[in-house]
Amino acid sequence: MPMDAPHHPQHATYDAVIVGGGHNGLVAAAYLARAGRRVLVLERLPATGGAAVSTRAFAGVDARLSRYSYLVSLLPARITDELGLRFAVRRRRISSYTPRGTTGLLVDAGDAGRTREQFAALTGSDRDFEAWQRFYGMTRRVAEAVFPTLTEPLPSRTALQERIGDPAAWEALFERPLGETVEAAFADDLVRGVVLTDALIGTFTHAHDPSLRQNRCFLYHVIGGGTGDWDVPVGGMGAFTDALADAARAAGAEIVTGAEVTAVASDGARAEVSYEGDGGGHTVGARHVLVNAAPHTLARLLGEPAPGPAPEGAQLKVNMLLSRLPRLRDTAVDPREAFAGTFHIAEGYGQLAAAYEQAAAGVLPSAPPSEIYCHSLTDPSILAPELAARGVHTLTLFGLHAPARLFAADPAGAKEALLAATLAQLDAVLAEPLADCLLTDADGKPCLEAKSPLDLEREVGLPGGHIFHRDLSWPYADDDGDLHGERDRVTYATGRWGVGTPYENVFLCGAGAARGGGVSGVPGHNAAMAVLEKA
């Protein structure tokens, strides 16, 4: 991750000042600079990238881990193409592996016959495999209709419904709690759980939540690229944001790091952005301000009340380096396949419900659910050649149902306890302890780090550690122009592109915008388009 040398802006005023140098801010900067606008990016941290960075996390070990964000699905090819980015993703052949005792379920995206055999061996019939084919055939059709709209003006609810053109799919994904659909379609508890996990990534909820936040989360996890595939960023996540920073600078944008924005003032036509940097306070003028931060942060910068309840993240992120992949209790599956896709741990349907109930009651889940994958099996370029030759691998774990509230009283102790319980669930399906496979760093310490929501708030500036900045929204506006009745989103994510605020020249370009969340660049693109339409 290259460091950006701090400096003072070259000008007193800009066409656009972008608050935050995460990937969405860099996308906006690149588009606006390419359109001939004078652009300044102000980033609080010593380097750009935000949560989409690669880091050498362990002393003396040359491995570039995607420390926070780690997979790519929602990034439209048009953004990489239009900005001329030197960045690629790589498809995973294995979709997922889910162990159950000494057996398991391997979903091979390249071999339907093999996957059918896996379902039959696990469940005793073809019923759930055929339901799986029908269900994901339906989500694929929805993805093909919805994904192209993400970089278009925000459609109305009716317009999106007509574009999908499938009343049954609309009912299943947009109208009824996802649990009803999952329970009607699938019989096996483990299969149900594998389906539900995509509704719970970074989202603390349950299958029958009447608010349908689980449906919204699920939708964004199955529409990416028009296929729903989750791909590995070649070179690590930092390769993407480094390419964006290069593209923005090449187009003429200025990037100043070590500059923490403290206030934004606007009269709707002109704006001033105040920031702290180089040991003092500074102010720069702007025609437009694009804020690549959470809506709660934007409200604070504007000196306005917070828009709705405070965000709360709900995940445990664990980064590891292994001297070798561990052996599995299921000897019929090669670990190189099992860990290449998404490896589900304690994510049966009943287990997910039990973990949610415990966490909602303020108790650490006794069997924490999580999912794991090995980046280096698909893209070994993140490892130094010497490490790859030795058989070293990365391992990324994303834990569910770990809301920030669980860490409030004892941040370090709660994280240690949850990590131990999570790794115990993994050990239960391995033929050897994971600890025996961990690489050690130059100081002799195991190569393992864990990040709670509180860590993400402190390190990356995500309020409550919420990876989406707030609950995800539907990718449409209600027919009356309201973003589905959520008054806070009307304040901070409205207008033709879903990025507007009450100030005509201030835009939200982060994950909390309409159609935000994930590593997509979509809010950055849309905020840039909103500015260019007005100019």
Side-chain angles (χ1 to χ4, degrees), residues 20-272:
H23 80 280
N24 278 307
L26 295 173
V27 166
Y31 271 107
L32 292 173
R34 285 167 63 91
R37 303 302 190 267
R38 181 182 290 175
V39 178
L40 171 67
V41 179
L42 297 173
E43 167 54 46
R44 174 180 65 91
L45 297 173
T48 55
V53 293
S54 298
T55 307
R56 289 174 175 83
F58 305 111
V61 183
D62 190 4
R64 301 180 304 282
L65 302 180
S66 296
R67 194 168 215 167
Y68 306 106
S69 303
Y70 56 98
L71 286 172
V72 176
S73 174
L74 291 162
L75 172 65
R78 69 175 296 177
I79 291 179
T80 58
D81 292 344
E82 289 175 352
L83 297 182
L85 302 182
R86 299 184 63 181
F87 171 72
V89 295
R90 193 165 291 163
R91 185 62 40 87
R92 300 184 294 171
R93 163 69 182 265
I94 301 301
S95 176
S96 68
Y97 170 72
T98 310
R100 180 155 69 188
T102 57
T103 62
L105 175 66
L106 186 80
V107 178
D108 186 337
D111 190 337
R114 183 187 187 195
T115 302
R116 178 187 289 271
E117 292 172 358
Q118 289 278 315
F119 270 84
L122 182 82
T123 67
S125 75
D126 287 339
R127 179 196 184 282
D128 272 3
F129 173 75
E130 292 170 355
W132 181 278
Q133 295 290 84
R134 289 191 299 272
F135 181 79
Y136 284 106
M138 177 266 287
T139 64
R140 177 71 174 256
R141 294 189 298 274
V142 170
E144 290 170 350
V146 174
F147 188 70
T149 71
L150 299 187
T151 49
E152 299 172 355
L154 189 66
S156 69
R157 182 181 188 277
T158 296
L160 190 65
Q161 189 172 5
E162 291 174 350
R163 185 158 182 162
I164 291 171
D166 185 336
W170 183 270
E171 178 74 13
L173 297 179
F174 292 82
E175 300 289 350
R176 297 167 52 201
L178 184 64
E180 295 179 12
T181 300
V182 170
E183 290 166 17
F186 304 101
D188 186 85
D189 179 87
L190 185 137
V191 174
R192 288 177 172 181
V194 172
V195 176
L196 183 63
T197 55
D198 277 339
L200 306 176
I201 302 297
T203 302
F204 188 53
T205 186
H206 58 93
H208 292 277
D209 186 342
S211 78
L212 303 188
R213 65 168 59 88
Q214 74 279 28
N215 292 51
R216 285 174 261 152
C217 182
F218 183 81
L219 182 68
Y220 282 92
H221 282 85
V222 297
I223 64 171
T227 65
D229 291 312
W230 283 81
D231 298 332
V232 176
V234 176
M237 197 61 79
F240 175 50
T241 46
D242 289 348
L244 282 171
D246 289 344
R249 287 196 187 91
E254 295 178 47
I255 299 176
V256 177
T257 57
E260 182 171 4
V261 173
T262 55
V264 174
S266 172
D267 63 7
R270 306 292 299 177
E272 284 191 345

